[in-house]
Amino acid sequence: FFFLYFPELHGISFRIQIVVKEVLDTDVLLKLLFHLPVNYPSALPDISVNSDQLTRAQCMDVKDKLLEQAKKHLAEPMVHDLILWIQQHLKDVVKQSATVCNEKTTLSKGTSTDDDIWMLLLHLDHMRAKAKYVKTVEKWASDLRLTGRLMFMGKIILILLQGDRSSIKEYLILQKTSKVDVDSSRKKCKEKMMSVLCETEVQSQHKRFQTFEVKEYSTLEELQKEFETAGLGTLYSEFVPPFLK
């Protein structure tokens, strides 16, 4: 397996990739993100699970099972044990997930499937290495299957994202811990002037973005229209005007 860690003021984040052989007739590459709070192991880690070979529902089931196991190891180091456990039990978790999914299919027809879709609005103070920064944000959005907009209007820089809540959380960790820009000396640096303006569940009146796009607006009216077209006029009115002063 492969892992990186990112030290933070509020704990440490580990990104771990493991290959589990012969899960439903294929090998599965699991991408796990563990965020350990400062009071770990007395507090449970925050876990994010992604895999190109599994559905989003299966990834969520894997996450739930890992958290169940984590509770059994509370107050003792657990990450290594959790990795060993999922290597041994992934096949059973995925099979069980598929069975439950099939049983729920008829019940879910005609009902909303967006209950677990979340939205995030961020404000960035500046981008010194704009081209590289934009490419990085685009890659993260693509890797995490997030949709939305990276919006530029004058000196205003906003990032609006929609997607699975665990992916939203993982994006936030990446944004806070990765060296995405350069400082005044042109040395690579982390984003230290980001503001989380809003993090909330997508509501029925909100339009779902189908893609992630980078857009520049020449007037405030154009920026406001982008929000209003997506049913987010209230979001614009509440959070954007303060940056116009």
Side-chain angles (χ1 to χ4, degrees), residues 81-113:
D81 289 332
L82 295 179
I83 293 169
L84 292 178
W85 186 89
I86 199 59
Q87 285 179 308
Q88 296 169 5
H89 296 88
L90 180 62
K91 188 172 183 177
D92 294 333
V93 174
V94 171
K95 278 186 176 181
Q96 184 180 11
S97 177
T99 302
V100 172
C101 182
N102 289 335
E103 290 175 351
K104 289 182 177 179
T105 299
T106 55
L107 296 175
S108 63
K109 287 182 179 178
T111 62
S112 172
T113 58

Side-chain angles (χ1 to χ4, degrees), residues 114 119 162 200-208 230-232:
D114 292 341
M119 178 169 58
Q162 293 178 343
T200 185
E201 192 169 4
V202 170
Q203 304 299 316
S204 58
Q205 70 269 25
H206 300 154
K207 173 187 172 183
R208 285 291 310 282
L232 301 171

Side-chain angles (χ1 to χ4, degrees), residues 123-127 151-158 217 220 223 243-245:
H123 172 259
L124 303 181
D125 184 75
H126 61 269
M127 288 183 179
M151 300 176 280
F152 296 92
M153 209 302 296
K155 293 184 178 181
I156 299 174
I157 306 172
L158 301 171
Y217 308 87
L220 280 172
L223 179 61
F243 300 113
L244 307 179
K245 298 177 181 178

Side-chain angles (χ1 to χ4, degrees), residues 21 28 43 54 61 141 161 176 178 188 203 215 226 230 244:
K21 300 289 186 179
V28 172
L54 302 179
D61 284 339
L161 298 169
K176 292 176 181 177
S178 303
K188 293 181 179 180
Q203 304 299 316
K215 302 187 73 172
E226 181 77 74
L244 307 179

Side-chain angles (χ1 to χ4, degrees), residues 61-239:
D61 284 339
V62 171
K63 172 184 174 179
D64 290 342
K65 293 297 183 182
L66 283 171
L67 287 173
E68 285 180 15
Q69 292 300 312
K71 291 176 182 177
K72 299 177 182 179
H73 296 278
L74 198 60
E76 61 186 60
M78 65 185 75
V79 173
H80 181 65
D81 289 332
L82 295 179
I83 293 169
L84 292 178
W85 186 89
I86 199 59
Q87 285 179 308
Q88 296 169 5
H89 296 88
L90 180 62
K91 188 172 183 177
D92 294 333
V93 174
V94 171
K95 278 186 176 181
Q96 184 180 11
S97 177
T99 302
V100 172
C101 182
N102 289 335
E103 290 175 351
K104 289 182 177 179
T105 299
T106 55
L107 296 175
S108 63
K109 287 182 179 178
T111 62
S112 172
T113 58
D114 292 341
D115 291 343
D116 59 346
I117 301 301
W118 280 66
M119 178 169 58
L120 177 71
L121 180 62
L122 304 175
H123 172 259
L124 303 181
D125 184 75
H126 61 269
M127 288 183 179
R128 287 194 175 95
K130 182 177 177 180
K132 179 181 178 295
Y133 205 135
V134 169
K135 284 184 179 180
T136 300
V137 172
E138 287 180 311
K139 184 179 186 305
W140 288 343
S142 175
D143 290 347
L144 296 171
R145 297 185 177 89
L146 297 172
T147 61
R149 300 285 186 268
L150 170 53
M151 300 176 280
F152 296 92
M153 209 302 296
K155 293 184 178 181
I156 299 174
I157 306 172
L158 301 171
I159 302 177
L160 179 62
L161 298 169
Q162 293 178 343
D164 183 87
R165 193 177 187 185
S166 63
S167 295
I168 291 284
K169 287 186 176 181
E170 184 169 351
Y171 179 92
L172 270 175
I173 292 173
L174 288 170
Q175 183 79 61
K176 292 176 181 177
T177 61
S178 303
K179 292 184 178 181
V180 291
D181 206 0
V182 295
D183 60 20
S184 56
S185 302
R186 307 306 293 179
K187 293 181 180 179
K188 293 181 179 180
C189 65
K190 298 176 183 179
E191 178 57 71
K192 297 179 180 178
M193 301 185 72
M194 178 192 75
S195 302
V196 178
L197 302 181
C198 180
E199 184 179 356
T200 185
E201 192 169 4
V202 170
Q203 304 299 316
S204 58
Q205 70 269 25
H206 300 154
K207 173 187 172 183
R208 285 291 310 282
F209 292 108
Q210 300 303 310
T211 59
F212 182 81
E213 299 178 24
V214 179
K215 302 187 73 172
E216 301 211 17
Y217 308 87
S218 56
T219 66
L220 280 172
E221 287 73 20
E222 289 180 7
L223 179 61
Q224 185 172 357
K225 186 177 180 181
E226 181 77 74
F227 277 82
E228 291 176 346
T229 301
L232 301 171
T234 302
L235 194 70
Y236 175 91
S237 300
E238 184 173 355
F239 295 106

